[in-house]
Amino acid sequence: MSVRVLLVDDQALFREALAMLLGVHPDIEVVGEAGDGARALAAVTTTRPDVVLMDLRMPVLDGVAATRRLRAEHPGVQVIALTTFDDDEDVFAALRAGALGYLLKDVSSERLVEAVLAAARGESVLQPSVAAKLVARIAAEPAAPAPLSVSLSERELEVVRLLAGGRSNREIAAALFLAEGTVKNHVTNVLGKLDARDRTQAALRARELGLL
């Protein structure tokens, strides 16, 4: 079944180009477009997307506010912030609002497609610069009391380091010459051992424990 995608951006030309780029992929169906956050919320109800690609700086209702409302009203819909900016304020506001991923508009078409498919599976995909900001932020904050050590295998350490760099399961599999299903199993084990609810928290937890 195709992943249903809603495009939200105030630049019509960019939406059209994005629709053409994603529309040729057999596993993705672009089900609608919206030019601002308010229209996006209305469109979600009628188009029932799996994933929303959300610009952040838009008129009427910005992407952060729209993401927060969307995630509250439609928790099954995943949001990827797709924007020109990666300053700290935008990054952390979008992630706090509930965005599962954060990519810049200069992302390659291949990585964007992989991010959409990953988001539909509930996986977080972050721009490497954004992943680095998260690690830096947690490093600057007082760490919560934690066990002195967590036992990860060498392979799990390799996986968590790539995961912390914002890599998707497919990208980790390619880097380590593993099957994607094997990587998924490693990620599940890592989340359990680090007592993390998602990939982003796993990366931060690994940084706290000195694994990165």
Side-chain angles (χ1 to χ4, degrees), residues 71-153:
R71 293 289 296 152
E73 297 171 9
H74 306 276
V77 179
Q78 303 295 353
V79 178
I80 298 175
L82 182 62
T83 182
T84 308
F85 310 96
D86 69 344
D87 57 87
D88 288 6
E89 182 180 353
D90 284 334
V91 168
F92 295 114
L95 296 177
R96 282 195 298 267
L100 186 64
Y102 195 109
L103 297 173
L104 299 183
K105 288 183 178 179
D106 62 359
V107 66
S108 69
S109 59
E110 180 180 358
R111 184 162 176 77
L112 179 59
V113 166
E114 174 56 25
V116 168
L117 299 179
R121 298 190 298 266
E123 299 173 15
S124 175
V125 179
L126 302 174
Q127 192 86 8
S129 62
V130 171
K133 287 177 185 292
L134 285 173
V135 171
R137 171 64 68 91
I138 196 65
E141 296 176 349
L148 293 178
S149 64
V150 170
S151 177
L152 297 183
S153 69

Side-chain angles (χ1 to χ4, degrees), residues 10-22:
D10 61 343
Q11 298 181 19
L13 190 60
F14 181 76
R15 294 199 308 270
E16 291 171 8
L18 203 55
M20 290 180 61
L21 185 154
L22 295 174

Side-chain angles (χ1 to χ4, degrees), residues 4 6 44 48-52 70-71 74-79 98 119:
R4 299 168 62 83
L6 175 67
V44 167
R48 296 176 293 104
D50 302 302
V51 177
V52 175
L70 192 158
R71 293 289 296 152
H74 306 276
V77 179
Q78 303 295 353
V79 178

Side-chain angles (χ1 to χ4, degrees), residues 144-167:
L148 293 178
S149 64
V150 170
S151 177
L152 297 183
S153 69
E154 285 300 317
R155 181 64 81 189
E156 288 168 347
L157 283 171
E158 291 176 325
V159 168
V160 78
R161 286 164 184 157
L162 291 169
L163 181 153
R167 303 287 188 91

